[in-house]
Amino acid sequence: MLSQQDLKQQAADAALQYIAPMLTSDAVIGVGTGSTADLFIDGLAKFRGKFRGAVASSERSAKRLTDLGILVLDLNEVQTMPVYVDGADEINAQLHMIKGGGGALTREKIVASVAKEFVCIADESKLVDVLGRFPLPIEVLPIAREAVARMATSLGGSPALRVGFVTDNGNQIIDVSGLSINDACALELALNNVPGVVTNGLFAIHPADVALLATQSGIRRL
Ligand code: 5RP
């Protein structure tokens, strides 16, 4: 019986195998945030010198990349990336995701938007029929915290401030539980339009292109 850690390692290894043909001397790789992304970063170090560098979706991932001797570029220096690799908190069969458990959702969405392909890596426990069991993270400007929380309540959710947490962008996170998300694109769009919302953790308008999900019997590719 493989542990969850083993499964995360398996997903990270599968992603490294998947992206290996994309590694050229001028290629810049988009790198996500979280425990699964950490394993991907560690593996990426073996390919050091075979690609130009990486754009990170958080200060935490940037430090891990730098410590391993991988050049970290500012997104503003990069016009295109062949691929962005990241984990997810939930993913459904349409490859819509909830992300942001690690609080890096805004930079994750921005970096992913510049990459040609989004590869989601996770263990199979993240695959769900309907998104919403995992509380939906919303990054808010501090001034809008209470207003956004009231709006989330009006949508049927239960908002909770992530206490003591400040994002890399200096903002706060509200985690909204109790939402049954049947139309993820519509909710993502609606939340994007609420004043004070920086980003919400739904990745549905631009879903993953490929999911490499680790199972007890190997990698399941969606
Ligand atoms: C961070 C994220 C992560 O991808 C998500 O939380 C999954 O993390 P892990 O790989 O540790 O399960 O969105 O903001």
Side-chain angles (χ1 to χ4, degrees):
M1 177 86 173
L2 296 170
S3 66
Q4 197 181 31
Q5 185 66 16
D6 293 335
L7 293 173
K8 287 180 181 188
Q9 186 64 61
Q10 203 180 94
D13 291 345
L16 289 162
Q17 212 178 343
Y18 185 87
I19 68 150
M22 303 177 191
L23 298 176
T24 58
S25 57
D26 58 353
V28 176
I29 306 301
V31 173
T33 299
S35 56
T36 320
D38 280 349
L39 297 171
F40 172 75
I41 293 172
D42 295 348
L44 196 57
K46 291 184 214 121
F47 295 93
R48 209 176 26 223
K50 296 209 162 79
F51 63 104
R52 183 169 171 225
V55 173
S57 64
S58 62
E59 299 298 334
R60 163 188 160 159
S61 291
K63 179 173 184 324
R64 198 173 186 98
L65 287 158
T66 306
D67 288 348
L68 289 167
I70 297 170
L71 174 69
V72 174
L73 294 118
D74 186 295
L75 183 63
N76 293 305
E77 301 172 61
V78 176
Q79 281 181 19
T80 181
M81 285 177 282
V83 70
Y84 174 77
V85 180
D86 200 356
D89 298 301
E90 282 186 348
I91 183 163
N92 67 14
Q94 290 77 49
L95 305 193
H96 297 158
M97 296 167 284
I98 287 184
K99 290 186 46 54
L105 60 164
T106 298
R107 294 190 188 193
E108 288 170 347
K109 212 176 261 197
I110 294 169
V111 180
S113 75
V114 177
K116 290 195 178 127
E117 207 175 332
F118 188 135
V119 177
C120 175
I121 49 173
D123 66 84
E124 204 186 24
S125 70
K126 304 287 183 74
L127 183 63
V128 297
D129 290 330
V130 180
L131 296 173
R133 201 177 46 206
F134 189 91
L136 177 66
I138 304 180
E139 180 166 349
V140 295
L141 294 173
I143 188 179
R145 185 182 62 226
E146 293 303 318
V148 174
R150 283 194 294 275
M151 178 280 308
T153 304
S154 75
L155 291 175
S158 302
L161 177 68
R162 205 177 288 185
V163 178
F165 185 86
V166 177
T167 70
D168 285 348
N169 314 307
N171 297 315
Q172 291 177 304
I173 298 238
I174 295 174
D175 293 299
V176 185
S177 53
L179 294 172
S180 190
I181 304 171
N182 294 308
D183 189 342
C185 290
L187 183 59
E188 182 178 357
L189 200 60
L191 291 173
N192 283 346
N193 280 330
V194 176
V197 169
V198 179
T199 320
N200 69 84
L202 281 168
F203 286 58
I205 296 170
H206 297 290
D209 296 288
V210 180
L212 300 171
L213 303 179
T215 75
Q216 291 295 333
S217 51
I219 290 291
R220 181 170 168 199
R221 182 168 157 172
L222 299 182

